Amino acid sequence: MMPNFALQCTLKSKVGYKMKLLKQWAMVCLASIALLSGCSTTTDPADTFKGETAEHIFHQGEIALRKGNYRECIKRFEALEVQYPYDKNSELAQLHIIYAYYMSEDYPSAESAADRFIQLHPVSRYTDYAYYLRGVANYYQNLGVYERLFAIDLSTRDLEQIKKSWSDFAAIAQQFPKSRYAAAARQYMIHLRNLMAKHIYGVAEFYYKRGAYVAAANRANEVVQGYQGAPVVPDALVLMVKSYRAMHLTQSADSTMRILKYNYPAVAKRL
């Protein structure tokens, strides 16, 4: 059975999402108080639902999933894996675990669960979905609570998770071009590509402001050559012209200026 919830994993509504994050922040504070009080317990998945059949554990797990009770869902499906590792529903249970962690906003666990699924089931009919969930988990993993609440520019952050996310969506586009997630994956790729271009341009600006014109020109050129079509490309060309002029490299500055005038005449008027 293919999960009907699959297509829910797109960029979330800004207003609803921020309200959810405010609630999450309150829950985090309450959880911290509980931890300080020493109120933590752990249960072995092998003992959690001992005596229940595999079918019953799986069925109750799906009910918990539909109700949004992700903690119960994860407990049941993880118990199913331990107690009945060869059950017919084991593969789908592993998939549900990824989704439940993602919806719980435990993105590192969602990424880890997706890694495991892809390694165990490289040719499953659900592998594209695992890549998709890992991609969105990596995307949101790069955001802290404050960043998600106040929309801090992702391009100013370390882009390790963003690059990993882009790779996951690229895998879908290349390996599963007919996947139901392929179109969404390509949209994510465009968005992430623009973020990476903006990040590199920000580094170029940093160098320029400090008089490191060679480094500034090189980084700006990296944007122009590697991220054609990104919104920040015109600004990168402008920065290249300014850097070359600062170094008195007239020929390079003029050559870049011609490219700028031909492709972005309105932007070229700034210089």
Side-chain angles (χ1 to χ4, degrees):
M1 163 177 111
M2 184 65 187
N4 292 325
F5 49 75
L7 293 177
Q8 295 176 21
C9 296
T10 54
L11 287 170
K12 303 173 183 176
S13 165
K14 292 184 179 179
V15 176
Y17 191 43
K18 288 188 177 182
M19 290 299 296
K20 184 177 180 182
L21 284 165
L22 286 169
K23 292 178 182 178
Q24 177 197 17
W25 185 247
M27 291 174 66
V28 169
C29 293
L30 290 172
S32 298
I33 294 172
L35 287 171
L36 289 172
S37 301
C39 301
S40 63
T41 59
T42 57
T43 306
D44 189 331
D47 298 327
T48 307
F49 304 104
K50 198 170 184 178
E52 294 188 23
T53 66
E55 184 177 355
H56 186 263
I57 294 173
F58 182 79
H59 179 65
Q60 292 299 315
E62 286 208 313
I63 290 175
L65 184 65
R66 285 194 291 272
K67 290 182 176 180
N69 187 351
Y70 302 118
R71 180 179 295 181
E72 175 70 11
C73 161
I74 291 166
K75 283 170 61 179
R76 284 195 168 272
F77 290 136
E78 287 184 344
L80 180 70
E81 281 200 87
V82 173
Q83 295 172 218
Y84 303 96
Y86 303 108
D87 184 73
K88 63 181 180 179
N89 291 314
S90 178
E91 182 179 334
L92 193 53
Q94 292 167 14
L95 205 67
H96 288 329
I97 288 171
I98 306 169
Y99 179 78
Y101 274 128
Y102 169 77
M103 292 302 292
S104 302
E105 298 182 357
D106 184 350
Y107 302 121
S109 294
E111 179 192 3
S112 178
D115 284 342
R116 182 170 178 270
F117 186 93
I118 292 167
Q119 290 172 10
L120 290 175
H121 310 286
V123 293
S124 166
R125 59 177 175 152
Y126 303 135
T127 303
D128 58 338
Y129 180 52
Y131 272 111
Y132 185 73
L133 281 177
R134 191 171 72 176
V136 290
N138 276 322
Y139 177 83
Y140 284 108
Q141 194 171 325
N142 202 59
L143 293 169
V145 172
Y146 286 114
E147 285 82 354
R148 280 177 271 160
L149 279 171
F150 302 110
I152 292 176
D153 190 350
L154 259 182
S155 69
T156 64
R157 298 289 303 272
D158 177 75
L159 297 187
E160 179 184 356
Q161 296 300 134
I162 294 299
K163 290 176 181 177
K164 289 168 67 175
S165 181
W166 189 92
S167 295
D168 287 327
F169 295 127
I172 296 173
Q174 293 165 10
Q175 299 177 36
F176 311 97
K178 295 182 180 179
S179 166
R180 64 191 297 188
Y181 311 107
R186 292 187 188 98
Q187 290 301 310
Y188 267 112
M189 287 174 69
I190 292 170
H191 173 63
L192 296 174
R193 178 175 173 272
N194 291 343
L195 279 178
M196 289 187 282
K198 191 174 180 182
H199 177 81
I200 297 169
Y201 174 74
V203 175
E205 270 195 318
F206 174 86
Y207 284 132
Y208 180 82
K209 289 175 181 177
R210 283 154 182 78
Y213 302 121
V214 173
N218 287 340
R219 285 306 183 105
N221 186 54
E222 185 179 341
V223 174
V224 174
Q225 296 295 327
Y227 298 89
Q228 293 181 24
V232 78
V233 166
D235 295 321
L237 285 166
V238 169
L239 193 61
M240 285 175 67
V241 173
K242 291 165 65 176
S243 297
Y244 290 139
R245 287 178 177 175
M247 292 185 287
H248 306 289
L249 298 175
T250 305
Q251 186 174 349
S252 295
D254 291 346
S255 176
T256 306
M257 190 65 184
R258 283 194 294 272
I259 295 171
L260 184 63
K261 284 182 177 179
Y262 181 82
N263 291 283
Y264 309 100
V267 177
K269 291 179 181 179
R270 292 189 217 160
L271 295 171

